[in-house]
Amino acid sequence: MFRLRTRHTAIALSLLALLTAACSASSATSTSATGSTGSCMPGDNPVVTLAGYSNVYDAYGKLTASSGTFVGDWKNAHNGQSVIFQASYGGSTTQAQNVVNGFPADIVALSLDPDVQLIQVAGLITHDWQSGRDHGYVGTSVVVFEVRPGNPKHIENWDDLAQPGLQILTPDPAQSGGARWNIVAAYGAAMRGEVPGYQANDPADAQRLLEGIFSNVSVMDKSANDSLKNFQAGNGDVAITYEYAALAAQKSGDENEMVIPASTVAIQTPVAVVDKNAESHCVKDIADAFVEYLHSDEAKGIFDTVGFERPVDLEAAQAGQGVESTFAPITDLFTTDDIGGWDELTDTTVFGPDGAFTKAQAAAQG
Amino acid sequence: MSTQGELRPARLSAPTRKRLVHGGLIAVALVYVGTLVLAPLVGITWAATRAGWHTWSATFADPTARHAYVLTGVITLVTVVVTAILGVVVALVLSRDLFPGRGLLSAVADLPIAISPVIVGLMAVLLFGTGGWFESWFSARGIRILFAVPSIAIVTLFICIPFVIREVTPILQELGTEEEQAAKTLGATSLQTFFRVTLPNIRWGLLYGIALSTARAIGEVGAVVVVSGLIAGQTETATLFILRAFDQFHDETGYVVALTLAMVSIVLLAGIEIFKHREEKELSR
Amino acid sequence: MQEQVGTLVREDPRPAKPAAGSRARQVARAAMGRWSLRSVALLYLGLMVALPTAAVVIRGFGGGLAALKEALDAPGAHQALMLSVGLAALTAVINAVLGTVVAYVLVRYRFVGRGVLSTLVDIPFAVPTLVTGVMLVALYGPNSLVGGFFIDHGFQIIFARPGILLALLFVTLPLVVRTVQPVLHQLDLAEEEAARVLGASRWVTFRKVVLPHLRSAVVAGGLLSFARAIGEYGAVVILSGNLLNKTLTAPVFIYQLISDFKPDAAAAVATLLFGLSFTLVLVTERLTRGRPA
């Protein structure tokens, strides 16, 4: 039987607790230095925080690695200053809202323009991020279908998704940028007349297609990754996803098949510096330099080989000529600008109060 | 007992039936608990060992993994110390101090057990997020609560509050105040009485409660996933690391860390068993 | 206890302090001590527990009952709540029955492996909930031995309801067993033996003699299991699959709402869920504290 040296132990433990609390609190506030507007002191190990959408961790992991080119070059050019990158990944829209609500990201790598605009509208991005190189895009991917081996349900095009009784996996549009890309792809393909059975330039027909598709959706996954995992685990007949997610899954042994519809949208993913945060963390110059680096040939190569993304140049993307790899060519590759631009799609034609998707979702759930 | 064989139409002899029934019940219990608890433990050990040595060493070399363990450790330590000390205070008040509203206080102390951890995360968001009750006070002083370590500590604290209280209060109630009163009449101060009389009496119950809190704090995920911001290397606890590993299709790394946590909790379990055993012996004295 | 008290006793058996006038001071000091303890306790629980809970409830009920109802009409809310209630009820019933069997076996029988069984029952108290989910994925997932067998035969466990049920049964197992066990311990075997001597069968004896004593403990354990199962997140999230009506439980749904930046809807569903489980926990307290010492 042991006797607790109770008084001494209690005092020691309390001191230890106070000490630990103080240390962790101070480390938390020092690495996320907020509020202090004063002259920026260049530290030895500045920390840059990146908020990314769910799929790109492998590519950014390599791009931001402490053994990577950017960190190495910066160190050589800046007296041994060792940049540390910290990253958080999640559904694109969730991440954007988090940043608006105070998440201290210095750089955002999101899955579609409107999510970056959310942050700009909130006043955190003060420069015109779309006027930079490649309009701020760092890669292109496309919306594809992931089906069971042998494609038992014969899913080739968007109209096949509307067949009754099919179980479709696609993420929740309120959280995931990927969900909105999927919807826009279906809408665009129908509007361009590339979907058999649906008239071109006919919003009513586009709505009909969306309604048919979404009657077959009964999941609320929070990100494109979740949909894919769900599908891999055996749920559903088809998952609408990004090409690079499907390719990454195939690379890690997934036996499911990927089908590219004849007409699909070019998923152009933007990256931008969050000026307000980067300035208050005194890392604006590093953040700007890193975003510049993302447009370099070497970065593009990494996006290709590690991220399975097609090149930013749309002609090359459509032909399937990657920076390093080859992709399947696409019959009709269109951008959101080709079907009206994000503003119109979000506010009016697709996601607006009378938009094709809004009405289709209501009808499908009603 | 022997009359039974004669009363009933003899199919099986009574002792055999008895053995069958006993055996049957034991078998049911063993199969149920074995399938429910033992099989998954075997499963994860298998999956984690199948990951191979290189996955293990890669995971332990990974700075974000190490940071995740450290963060979990720090949060657990702070949580356990605070809830233990203040939990004893509350237990003293609940068992000794008769005041109106004591029942309400007891109910409040039990609240966290009934609340889903995701709801605890929501509480933190409502208090410290944009438009939250305390948000302006903290942001004016440049203190970040959400998407930073303080929020992780706060939610874990909330969740671990009841354990020590629930274990120590009944002990104090059973013991009564005789010994403390005896000490007082002999001239001891309150503090002396507490440390020399009360604390040794509640020792095992306190340790049991602490062990339960520790296990709970280590395993917290539902609230932390809401508030932490999931910044790898900064606000990612061990459990969040596992979530991310599975999310990013790095299942093997996930299994490795999960098995590590499972092993830690088995050790804790040993402590729990010992302390519980001692506590029961004390209570039945 | 003699040793501890003994160290305070001095040579002189008379009380250390002089009598009379300082008695009032002693009483005053005791009262102050009591009051300061009480304030610490009230401040601690008030700030750390009551306040945050109020924040959710106020937000949930903030717009009145009409707003609450509207928030609950969010797509998926009904299904998620019904699913959680259904699965939690099933969990509670299964564990009430089988947990009682386990408790009975642990108390009444001696057999090889009894200690192991007892330890296994406590494991869910120690293991992190997320690790529980991971273990189930490791055992029944598509890449595992066992899982592959089941999927080949068309029976899906992970990302489907059986998996969630297994997870809930795991985390609630000790709740029934450890509630029933102490009561069984205290039962007087004489009653049972008398019944047997008088010719009652084993089952009748159990039903009429043992069960009435156990009833409140079994019910309490079942209610506690229900309350715990309805709010479980960590063990469920990793094998949920988010299929509405099939595997999207209320806590996972609330998490979706929070990620969707719908704090009002989240607070509404949360208030309902929390109200339900808190009531159950209170009832359980009543039932277990009522038993004889």
Side-chain angles (χ1 to χ4, degrees):
Chain A
M1 280 287 254
F2 65 98
R3 282 199 57 168
L4 293 172
R5 287 243 154 237
T6 49
R7 182 183 307 184
H8 301 148
T9 324
I11 294 177
L13 281 177
S14 330
L15 285 177
L16 189 60
L18 283 172
L19 212 66
T20 345
C23 283
S24 51
S26 66
S27 71
T29 47
S30 67
T31 50
S32 57
T34 53
S36 50
T37 50
S39 57
C40 276
M41 301 283 291
D44 281 333
N45 295 312
V47 174
V48 176
T49 309
L50 170 79
Y53 67 103
S54 56
N55 303 80
V56 287
Y57 40 81
D58 280 333
Y60 281 100
K62 193 135 185 218
L63 291 162
T64 60
S66 44
S67 53
T69 313
F70 178 78
V71 175
D73 287 349
W74 183 271
K75 192 191 275 195
N76 292 335
H78 291 84
N79 286 328
Q81 198 182 35
S82 234
V83 180
I84 302 176
F85 281 94
Q86 284 180 341
S88 161
Y89 300 100
S92 175
T93 313
T94 306
Q95 290 287 64
Q97 274 283 5
N98 281 341
V99 173
V100 167
N101 284 336
F103 183 87
D106 302 304
I107 305 175
V108 288
L110 299 175
S111 114
L112 71 179
D113 290 350
D115 285 343
V116 181
Q117 268 166 353
L118 256 178
I119 305 176
Q120 185 174 33
V121 159
L124 292 166
I125 298 180
T126 51
H127 70 286
D128 186 5
W129 54 278
Q130 281 173 311
S131 62
R133 273 178 72 172
D134 298 324
H135 298 283
Y137 301 135
V138 290
T140 311
S141 192
V142 293
V143 174
V144 303
F145 311 140
E146 182 89 341
V147 299
R148 299 287 168 209
N151 199 355
K153 302 269 179 174
H154 309 292
I155 297 172
E156 303 290 341
N157 207 336
W158 293 100
D159 55 321
D160 295 321
L161 292 179
Q163 59 182 272
L166 199 66
Q167 263 203 324
I168 302 179
L169 301 180
T170 179
D172 170 22
Q175 298 175 69
S176 162
R180 278 186 279 166
W181 280 117
N182 296 349
I183 295 165
V184 158
Y187 173 84
M191 289 297 274
R192 288 163 73 86
E194 300 281 346
V195 185
Y198 297 85
Q199 288 254 353
N201 291 315
D202 187 351
D205 256 10
Q207 183 182 324
R208 186 165 57 93
L209 175 64
L210 286 173
E211 198 179 315
I213 294 176
F214 276 86
S215 325
N216 291 335
V217 173
S218 62
V219 281
M220 293 179 66
D221 285 324
K222 67 180 189 300
S223 73
N225 261 5
D226 276 10
S227 281
L228 201 54
K229 293 181 95 54
N230 219 341
F231 186 75
Q232 283 174 331
N235 282 323
D237 302 307
V238 56
I240 312 178
T241 183
Y242 295 176
E243 181 187 41
Y244 58 69
L247 289 175
Q250 276 178 358
K251 188 131 184 268
S252 57
D254 186 23
E255 283 169 5
N256 295 309
E257 288 179 12
M258 180 176 78
V259 171
I260 307 182
S263 171
T264 183
V265 73
I267 300 176
Q268 296 173 300
T269 54
V271 178
V273 173
V274 184
D275 306 283
K276 282 279 164 61
N277 287 344
E279 277 157 11
S280 74
H281 301 154
C282 298
V283 292
K284 178 98 165 57
D285 47 349
I286 310 178
D288 285 334
F290 182 71
V291 173
E292 229 354 86
Y293 167 69
L294 291 180
H295 296 286
S296 71
D297 287 337
E298 183 187 294
K300 290 184 180 180
I302 292 180
F303 277 121
D304 179 327
T305 51
V306 180
F308 303 108
E309 291 196 58
R310 298 180 180 232
V312 182
D313 174 60
L314 285 169
E315 271 186 34
Q318 182 164 5
Q321 287 160 345
V323 172
E324 311 247 348
S325 338
T326 347
F327 301 83
I330 301 175
T331 318
D332 176 45
L333 182 68
F334 60 91
T335 66
T336 45
D337 284 337
D338 292 332
I339 46 174
W342 272 116
D343 285 340
E344 196 181 285
L345 294 168
T346 317
D347 298 332
T348 327
T349 44
V350 179
F351 299 103
D354 279 329
F357 174 68
T358 317
K359 294 210 281 198
Q361 193 185 35
Q365 281 175 351
Chain B
M1 295 294 172
S2 56
T3 53
Q4 274 195 313
E6 294 155 52
L7 281 175
R8 299 195 186 295
R11 278 180 293 145
L12 292 164
S13 71
T16 315
R17 254 208 319 275
K18 175 170 154 184
R19 270 202 294 274
L20 272 180
V21 169
H22 286 197
L25 285 181
I26 295 175
V28 166
L30 283 175
V31 166
Y32 181 55
V33 176
T35 324
L36 200 59
V37 179
L38 193 57
L41 282 172
V42 169
I44 193 181
T45 313
W46 173 79
T49 44
R50 198 174 67 136
W53 174 243
H54 61 280
T55 313
W56 278 87
S57 51
T59 309
F60 282 112
D62 182 359
T64 54
R66 284 207 295 259
H67 181 274
Y69 287 128
V70 168
L71 183 61
T72 296
V74 168
I75 297 285
T76 305
L77 183 64
V78 171
T79 300
V80 164
V81 170
V82 171
T83 56
I85 295 176
L86 291 175
V88 170
V89 170
V90 172
L92 283 171
V93 170
L94 282 180
S95 59
R96 301 282 165 81
D97 194 358
L98 303 156
F99 64 97
R102 192 174 64 144
L104 186 62
L105 192 70
S106 175
V108 171
D110 275 339
L111 263 180
I113 293 217
I115 302 185
S116 175
V118 185
I119 302 181
V120 179
L122 177 63
M123 289 175 182
V125 169
L126 291 179
L127 289 177
F128 303 109
T130 319
W133 291 6
F134 299 136
E135 191 246 345
S136 41
W137 193 91
F138 282 104
S139 60
R141 284 154 185 76
I143 304 176
R144 182 182 305 291
I145 303 283
L146 278 188
F147 309 128
V149 175
S151 64
I152 301 180
I154 291 174
V155 296
T156 314
L157 257 167
F158 180 102
I159 286 170
C160 290
I161 282 177
F163 293 108
V164 168
I165 299 176
R166 280 161 75 97
E167 293 308 320
V168 172
T169 308
I171 301 179
L172 286 173
Q173 278 169 338
E174 284 253 359
L175 284 175
T177 51
E178 300 155 351
E179 290 180 20
E180 277 95 350
Q181 282 168 357
K184 288 266 172 63
T185 59
L186 290 166
T189 64
S190 291
L191 223 53
Q192 278 177 320
T193 315
F194 175 74
F195 281 111
R196 302 247 185 135
V197 177
T198 320
L199 202 52
N201 277 343
I202 57 173
R203 178 173 44 196
W204 298 116
L206 181 59
L207 283 172
Y208 181 41
I210 288 179
L212 289 177
S213 304
T214 310
R216 187 71 182 85
I218 290 178
E220 177 41 43
V221 63
V224 178
V225 75
V226 173
V227 302
S228 71
L230 308 170
I231 309 176
Q234 194 178 343
T235 62
E236 195 178 60
T237 59
T239 45
L240 290 181
F241 182 91
I242 297 176
L243 261 185
R244 178 167 65 93
F246 279 96
D247 205 41
Q248 296 181 350
F249 297 96
H250 297 148
D251 287 16
E252 296 192 330
T253 311
Y255 287 132
V256 165
V257 178
L259 184 62
T260 310
L261 286 188
M263 293 193 294
V264 169
S265 53
I266 302 289
V267 169
L268 264 178
L269 180 71
I272 289 175
E273 295 295 286
I274 295 173
F275 300 146
K276 188 178 67 161
H277 186 58
R278 297 277 172 90
E279 181 198 12
E280 278 163 5
K281 266 195 356 200
E282 293 261 333
L283 268 181
S284 59
R285 258 212 273 160
Chain C
M1 294 297 111
Q2 274 308 308
E3 338 137 30
Q4 282 109 334
V5 177
T7 57
L8 296 170
V9 174
R10 307 180 193 184
E11 265 55 57
D12 187 342
R14 273 188 315 215
K17 308 218 181 341
S22 68
R23 178 66 60 88
R25 254 184 298 142
Q26 273 185 337
V27 171
R29 246 203 312 262
M32 216 168 57
R34 210 173 44 238
W35 264 102
S36 52
L37 269 188
R38 199 190 296 179
S39 342
V40 168
L42 286 172
L43 198 66
Y44 172 53
L45 289 182
L47 206 60
M48 286 297 306
V49 181
L51 186 70
T53 312
V56 168
V57 176
I58 289 177
R59 193 64 182 262
F61 281 119
L65 274 179
L68 182 71
K69 192 174 174 315
E70 189 190 308
L72 287 174
D73 282 336
H78 278 158
Q79 294 94 320
L81 276 169
M82 287 291 104
L83 182 68
S84 275
V85 168
L87 283 175
L90 192 57
T91 305
V93 166
I94 295 178
N95 256 338
V97 171
L98 290 176
T100 308
V101 170
V102 173
Y104 189 82
V105 160
L106 281 175
V107 173
R108 287 294 161 77
Y109 300 147
R110 295 252 175 290
F111 54 93
V112 170
R114 184 169 165 275
V116 172
L117 186 65
S118 183
T119 308
L120 281 179
V121 167
D122 271 337
I123 281 188
F125 273 158
V127 167
T129 52
L130 188 64
V131 174
T132 304
V134 170
M135 292 199 290
L136 289 172
V137 171
L139 186 61
Y140 300 115
N143 297 325
S144 70
L145 292 167
V146 179
F149 169 78
F150 280 114
I151 291 180
D152 286 341
H153 289 74
F155 188 60
Q156 202 181 339
I157 301 185
I158 300 301
F159 282 80
R161 269 190 265 206
I164 299 187
L165 189 62
L166 281 175
L168 296 178
L169 284 173
F170 183 103
V171 302
T172 53
L173 173 66
L175 294 174
V176 173
V177 177
R178 296 311 185 202
T179 312
V180 170
Q181 235 181 320
V183 178
L184 267 175
H185 259 303
Q186 287 162 357
L187 278 187
D188 194 355
L189 275 176
E191 275 190 46
E192 265 176 274
E193 286 175 7
R196 309 277 297 137
V197 165
L198 290 170
S201 77
R202 192 160 298 278
W203 172 240
V204 171
T205 312
F206 181 75
R207 217 162 42 105
K208 300 240 165 129
V209 176
V210 180
L211 210 47
H213 289 286
L214 288 186
R215 197 169 35 208
S216 60
V218 173
V219 169
L223 289 180
L224 213 54
S225 298
F226 185 88
R228 176 69 204 274
I230 211 175
E232 181 54 40
Y233 178 82
V236 171
V237 71
I238 206 163
L239 40 80
S240 161
N242 303 309
L243 292 170
L244 265 182
N245 260 338
K246 288 215 211 138
T247 58
L248 186 62
T249 59
V252 179
F253 182 68
I254 294 176
Y255 175 75
Q256 310 269 38
L257 288 175
I258 300 176
S259 300
D260 278 358
F261 299 94
K262 299 182 182 142
D264 297 308
V269 182
T271 306
L272 256 187
L273 204 66
F274 150 69
L276 189 57
S277 44
F278 183 55
T279 315
L280 291 174
V281 169
L282 278 183
V283 171
T284 313
E285 296 289 291
R286 251 340 112 70
L287 284 173
T288 48
R289 288 205 185 136
R291 70 173 194 264

